[in-house]
Amino acid sequence: MRSLIWLLAWASLFSSFQLAAAEPRQLASVQEQARTVYIFHQPIVMLQAKFGLTTPEERVLRIRNTLRSLTEEDIKHPIKVIAVQRYGQQGRLLTINDKPLMLLAQGDLDEGDDLTLDQATERVLARFDAQRSSLKDQYASSYLAIATLKAVVATFLLGLLYYVAFKSWQRVKKYYAEKVLLKRGWIPHSWREFLGAFEVRFYALLMFLLGITAFYFWLSWLFRQFPWTRIWGESLGNWSVDVLQKISLSVISAFPGLAIVLIIFLITAFILKLLKVLLKRVENGQLEIPGLHRETVGATRKLISVMVWLFALSAAYPFLPGANSLAFKGISIFFGLMLTLGSAGVMNHAMSGLVLIYSRALRKGDVIRIADNEGQVSEVGMLATKIITRENYIVTVPNAVVVSGKITNLSAQNPGGGVNLTTSITIGYDTPWRQVHAMLELAASRTEGVDHQSPPLVRQLSLMDWYIAYELQVRLLPGESLAGVKSRLHSHIQDVFNEFNVQIMSPNFVNQPENAVMVASENWFAAPAVSPDKQA
């Protein structure tokens, strides 16, 4: 077959793949590759002698032409060696079917190989015979037919393996679906919300890895069956062996570093455990440390944990496998850049949260007023503060906004838990102020949820053009709702003013009245106000 002979000529192509040999170099340069005879990417011999004007590179080209001219009948004959004297030096002529194949001269030997001419010839002859026997077997029509039949059978078996794996996965999926419905299995049912059908996914992963492995071996075996792709099959096999060797060596060499990393993290966890016990005692009031308050223990513990873990990671980083690789460094730079660019706003809120925590401006349970939001603090986090309003809404305010604005803490001055409640009302000048004071105090005394041990305070905030602005301040009992008590207090104020025929309506005059709007002295202590003389 002429196509097969052409494939033999293809063997003269140069490749970096080499087998161990006497003359060919393991790591050949471009010039050495040009002087090397290859058959199917396998190095046969490297020529170095120059005969007249004929360079070693030209000799390689002549051998290539000789290979092209060989027939299938020539390949069936063994290669013979004839001792000759050429160009003033000893040589060995290799022939096949009485046709000269190549000349190996004394000048082709390399002193570094430490071989005689006969020894070098035997090695070259063995390489030629290995390729010739392989070509003779594989170029036969019967061999190609058998190889094709083997490939078809192997492909069918691979497809059958995939089919069986898929069907088995379906059965496993159905089996565990029934077990999950019955709340059975080796995984607790409470974990199913997070893990789901873990067994099915794990089995699918195993089948997927099995399929990839089977495909790899099938492809490597299939390439080995045909002469045109045999080198690819050998390359795949050698590559898999090299990969397994590298993985094994990498795992073994990584053990000391991983052991050091494990020791570092165990020591870090032990230190944090001790700090947790210490800070827990401070939080419970069993221990006092200057500068550390009970309200800031939680944030302090988090900060110390982050700092200690960052220090441990910095110490363990050089011992991690692949820490010095360019890929690892590139990923580190990439994530560092993302963290730098994306955390500017987050760090602003986080630092503001630390300001709130360590300044002790807010605590969980405090009743505060921030801008238009008034309610009870439910959480002071690192990034935001959450407030429960009177409508029972949860308002999340970023810490940067909290710090940049005005914070009114309504319960900070009341350690017992009560909150000061204030409300205002405007009454005209024709109503005695002492009567207004008494009516507001009476309304406060009737209101549930008000701490009656603390007397209410009534203030006259301003004397306006048409009315007087009064303010009533009471203290709530611990745990009482600010909005609920305020609503009940307003109801009692209306009832009391109605009882004593005092209208809650501030007068506005269009024209000046004929008589002066004033309260006569005999009406200064109108009921329910009591004159100081009568009290005495």
Side-chain angles (χ1 to χ4, degrees):
M1 289 180 274
R2 299 302 301 176
S3 61
L4 302 180
I5 304 306
W6 181 85
L7 285 174
L8 182 61
W10 180 268
S12 60
L13 290 178
F14 303 115
S15 170
S16 59
F17 176 80
Q18 302 177 16
L19 294 176
E23 294 80 12
R25 297 291 179 260
Q26 294 295 325
L27 298 174
S29 63
V30 176
Q31 182 180 8
E32 290 173 341
Q33 289 180 359
R35 295 181 176 183
T36 304
V37 178
Y38 290 89
I39 296 180
F40 276 118
H41 301 277
Q42 304 293 333
I44 304 299
V45 63
M46 186 177 71
L47 305 179
Q48 299 187 86
K50 179 179 180 181
F51 300 146
L53 298 179
T54 305
T55 63
E57 290 81 2
E58 292 177 339
R59 293 175 59 196
V60 171
L61 293 178
R62 289 181 180 179
I63 295 174
R64 289 174 58 185
N65 293 331
T66 301
L67 292 174
R68 288 194 183 98
S69 64
L70 294 178
T71 63
E72 185 176 359
E73 184 64 25
D74 293 333
I75 298 176
K76 295 179 180 180
H77 290 79
I79 299 176
K80 298 179 180 179
V81 179
I82 302 175
V84 295
Q85 182 80 19
R86 297 286 176 88
Y87 308 105
Q89 56 180 311
Q90 292 291 330
R92 297 294 183 267
L93 180 63
L94 277 68
T95 64
I96 183 171
N97 196 17
D98 297 329
K99 294 181 180 180
L101 186 61
M102 65 166 290
L103 175 65
L104 182 64
Q106 186 71 33
D108 291 321
L109 302 182
D110 191 343
E111 295 180 358
D113 294 331
D114 196 20
L115 295 174
T116 64
L117 180 60
D118 290 333
Q119 291 174 340
T121 303
E122 290 178 0
R123 295 194 177 190
V124 173
L125 180 61
R127 298 186 197 108
F128 264 120
D129 279 336
Q131 297 300 321
R132 185 189 63 83
S133 300
S134 178
L135 290 173
K136 181 181 65 175
D137 294 338
Q138 295 188 29
Y139 286 152
S141 300
S142 58
Y143 177 86
L144 292 177
I146 294 174
T148 303
L149 180 61
K150 289 180 179 179
V152 173
V153 173
T155 305
F156 173 77
L157 293 177
L158 180 66
L160 182 62
L161 176 64
Y162 285 164
Y163 177 79
V164 172
F166 178 74
K167 287 297 183 181
S168 65
W169 173 75
Q170 285 187 328
R171 294 192 62 179
V172 169
K173 183 178 180 181
K174 182 179 179 181
Y175 172 75
Y176 278 103
E178 295 175 354
K179 294 193 68 173
V180 169
L181 291 177
L182 296 175
K183 297 183 179 181
R184 297 178 180 175
W186 60 278
I187 296 180
H189 190 74
S190 58
W191 293 9
R192 292 293 181 183
E193 181 180 355
F194 307 99
L195 298 179
F198 174 79
E199 301 91 346
V200 178
R201 296 174 183 174
F202 182 73
Y203 186 80
L205 179 61
L206 290 180
M207 292 297 101
F208 180 74
L209 295 177
L210 176 63
I212 293 179
T213 305
F215 178 80
Y216 179 86
F217 284 107
W218 169 83
L219 188 62
S220 177
W221 181 86
L222 184 65
F223 282 160
R224 291 171 184 266
Q225 303 306 308
F226 301 95
W228 310 279
T229 57
R230 186 176 184 182
I231 186 64
W232 296 345
E234 293 176 353
S235 300
L236 285 174
N238 294 332
W239 178 82
S240 62
V241 173
D242 292 341
V243 169
L244 292 176
Q245 289 179 348
K246 290 180 180 179
I247 292 176
S248 301
L249 292 176
S250 299
V251 171
I252 295 174
S253 61
F255 278 152
L258 292 176
I260 296 176
V261 171
L262 180 61
I263 293 173
I264 292 174
F265 281 101
L266 287 177
I267 294 175
T268 303
F270 178 73
I271 294 174
L272 290 178
K273 188 70 174 178
L274 293 179
L275 288 174
K276 183 179 180 181
V277 173
L278 178 64
L279 295 176
K280 192 69 176 179
R281 297 189 63 184
V282 175
E283 188 176 14
N284 295 333
Q286 301 174 353
L287 180 66
E288 292 185 3
I289 298 179
L292 184 60
H293 303 278
R294 299 175 62 181
E295 299 84 359
T296 62
V297 167
T300 303
R301 181 168 57 245
K302 293 179 182 178
L303 285 177
I304 294 177
S305 299
V306 170
M307 293 176 62
V308 172
W309 279 117
L310 287 177
F311 179 79
L313 184 60
S314 301
Y317 176 83
F319 301 100
L320 293 175
N324 296 324
S325 64
L326 295 178
F328 207 107
K329 294 178 181 178
I331 293 175
S332 301
I333 294 174
F334 174 72
F335 280 104
L337 183 61
M338 289 183 59
L339 184 63
T340 302
L341 296 178
S343 63
V346 176
M347 290 303 298
N348 184 22
H349 294 306
M351 296 305 296
S352 300
L354 293 178
V355 171
L356 289 176
I357 293 172
Y358 284 97
S359 64
R360 294 185 294 167
L362 299 177
R363 292 181 300 178
K364 184 178 179 180
D366 286 352
V367 180
I368 64 172
R369 183 185 297 118
I370 301 177
D372 297 333
N373 301 307
E374 181 179 280
Q376 187 178 36
V377 177
S378 63
E379 179 183 349
V380 181
M382 292 295 295
L383 301 179
T385 300
K386 294 185 178 181
I387 304 172
I388 301 177
T389 64
R390 62 175 178 271
E391 298 91 350
N392 204 26
Y393 297 155
I394 297 179
V395 179
T396 302
V397 185
N399 286 335
V401 177
V402 177
V403 173
S404 61
K406 183 179 71 173
I407 307 172
T408 303
N409 196 324
L410 305 178
S411 57
Q413 296 298 323
N414 299 320
V419 179
N420 291 332
L421 169 62
T422 59
T423 185
S424 59
I425 189 173
T426 56
I427 303 297
Y429 285 94
D430 55 343
T431 303
W433 63 268
R434 295 178 180 84
Q435 184 184 22
V436 176
H437 280 222
M439 287 190 293
L440 291 176
E441 292 172 355
L442 179 60
S445 65
R446 294 180 179 180
T447 304
E448 297 179 359
V450 174
D451 186 3
H452 300 299
Q453 299 298 326
S454 299
L457 298 178
V458 180
R459 304 183 183 94
Q460 299 184 37
L461 298 180
S462 59
L463 303 176
M464 309 299 292
D465 292 340
W466 304 294
Y467 46 77
I468 303 173
Y470 297 90
E471 181 184 72
L472 172 63
Q473 177 180 319
V474 296
R475 184 175 179 180
L476 275 59
L477 293 173
E480 290 290 338
S481 171
L482 185 66
V485 176
K486 180 181 286 189
S487 177
R488 293 194 293 270
L489 179 60
H490 288 170
S491 300
H492 287 295
I493 289 175
Q494 295 178 65
D495 292 341
V496 170
F497 275 71
N498 290 332
E499 289 177 11
F500 295 98
N501 298 319
V502 177
Q503 61 181 11
I504 306 177
M505 184 177 68
S506 302
N508 291 325
F509 300 108
V510 178
N511 296 320
Q512 180 67 24
E514 295 179 0
N515 299 322
V517 180
M518 58 178 296
V519 179
S521 59
E522 59 269 16
N523 295 327
W524 282 4
F525 298 98
V530 180
S531 172
D533 298 335
K534 294 181 180 181
Q535 290 180 353

